[in-house]
Amino acid sequence: MSARLRGALSAALIVLACLLAPCATLAGWAVYALADTGRYVAAVRPLADDPDVRDAAADTLGAGFAGIVDEVTAGPVNGAVRLFVRDAARSFTRTDAFQEGWDEANRTVHAAVLRALRDDAAAGHAVTVDLAPVTERVRDRLAEDHVPFARRIPVRHTAVTLLTAPEADRLREGYRMLDVAAFWLPLAAVVFAVTGIAVAVRRRRALAAAGLGTALGGALLALAVVAGRRLTVAELPGPVDGPAAGAVYDALTETLRTVSWLLVALGLTVALTAWLTARYRRRPPRRPPAEPATEPAPPRPTRTGP
């Protein structure tokens, strides 16, 4: 194989590897971080202490409690009662019971969605969840804390629709593709990079190019996460919007942002190492200082006979 052909093949393989690196990172994050119930719950747990999320949750809980009071009293309640219910809901969001209910609700919802995405038999069916066990657990916790009238909180078994059937079917197809991509894309990126460096005429230069390309891919992925925040915050599911939706997005993409900057750091480290080693190798070795030349001793005079 000629040197020109080897250079072109090496460049093509390294470019493919650098393009696949951010895509592989994104697919791996979606499958192994976002689609894992334990990691998901751990990621959103700090949101229970976020003021914007607590206000949004308090408004939703207050509206729900006010609706229950309307049914019990067979008519709309006055403004004073609604104000009391809203203040009580905001006070509730600062308790340990709310933290426990937040974790349990997120775990229940995430498990239901994930189960529907992985089960082909669920095709054509909407994704629903019954939050009655969560309500019951919160009620019991409030009763243990001696909150007045906690035992009178009604527990209703109502199917809450999380995803309609068409939405669930589309997400199921996308999840199946991500599941395959999360395994093959990282493997392909590594194979392309190693092969591209191996066939290169100047391997250190190819290694430096692969490092710079990886760093560039990580930077572009980090910028995509920032740009995606503005595009997707308004479409996040749930009763959150505005600052609360931004807090949810930041919590879910924290791992992705960290891995993106790790790619940048790794790529720059590899490129700098390759450049330094190549420069050190090109430096000519130092010669030892030459010893001063010694003058030859003058010839001894020859003695001649008388």
Side-chain angles (χ1 to χ4, degrees):
M1 185 182 297
S2 64
R4 180 176 298 180
L5 184 58
R6 288 176 59 185
L9 179 59
S10 173
L13 291 174
I14 290 175
V15 169
L16 284 176
C18 295
L19 290 176
L20 289 178
C23 299
T25 303
L26 184 61
W29 164 76
V31 172
Y32 300 115
L34 194 60
D36 184 272
T37 300
R39 294 189 180 97
Y40 174 83
V41 174
V44 299
R45 179 174 292 124
L47 293 176
D49 295 327
D50 188 273
D52 296 320
V53 175
R54 286 192 309 197
D55 290 343
D59 293 340
T60 303
L61 291 172
F65 290 151
I68 295 174
V69 174
D70 290 343
E71 295 181 7
V72 173
T73 59
V77 297
N78 56 40
V81 175
R82 289 186 178 276
L83 183 61
F84 171 78
V85 170
R86 185 187 63 181
D87 292 340
R90 290 185 176 180
S91 298
F92 169 69
T93 59
R94 293 171 174 82
T95 63
D96 294 337
F98 173 73
Q99 175 71 73
E100 195 171 315
W102 174 266
D103 290 345
E104 190 64 24
N106 279 287
R107 183 177 291 106
T108 301
V109 171
H110 190 272
V113 173
L114 196 60
R115 185 168 52 252
L117 295 181
R118 291 175 174 174
D119 187 8
D120 292 336
H125 298 280
V127 181
T128 60
V129 63
D130 184 9
L131 294 179
V134 179
T135 305
E136 185 177 4
R137 184 169 180 175
V138 173
R139 183 192 63 182
D140 295 341
R141 179 59 186 269
L142 292 175
E144 292 175 2
D145 294 340
H146 305 289
V147 176
F149 308 107
R151 289 295 181 185
R152 297 185 182 183
I153 297 177
V155 177
R156 299 179 179 180
H157 294 273
T158 304
V160 179
T161 301
L162 302 176
L163 295 171
T164 62
E167 292 174 342
D169 292 340
R170 288 195 299 269
L171 286 178
R172 191 176 296 108
E173 293 295 330
Y175 177 79
R176 187 179 294 109
M177 294 177 59
L178 283 174
D179 196 16
V180 175
F183 175 78
W184 288 109
L185 287 184
L187 182 61
V190 173
V191 170
F192 287 158
V194 172
T195 306
I197 295 171
V199 301
V201 178
R202 299 180 178 180
R203 294 180 179 175
R204 282 186 174 83
R205 180 177 295 182
L207 182 61
L212 291 176
T214 302
L216 179 60
L220 291 177
L221 181 59
L223 291 176
V225 173
V226 175
R229 191 180 192 274
R230 296 184 178 182
L231 298 176
T232 60
V233 158
E235 300 178 2
L236 285 177
V240 294
D241 55 7
V248 173
Y249 183 90
D250 292 339
L252 294 179
T253 58
E254 180 180 1
T255 303
L256 184 59
R257 293 196 306 272
T258 302
V259 175
S260 300
W261 291 115
L262 285 177
L263 283 178
V264 174
L266 176 63
L268 292 178
T269 301
V270 170
L272 182 60
T273 303
W275 179 75
L276 289 177
T277 54
R279 185 177 181 182
Y280 177 79
R281 188 178 181 181
R282 288 195 303 266
R283 181 178 299 175
R286 294 183 177 179
R287 296 181 179 181
E291 297 181 357
T294 58
E295 295 182 359
R300 294 181 180 181
T302 58
R303 298 181 62 183
T304 58

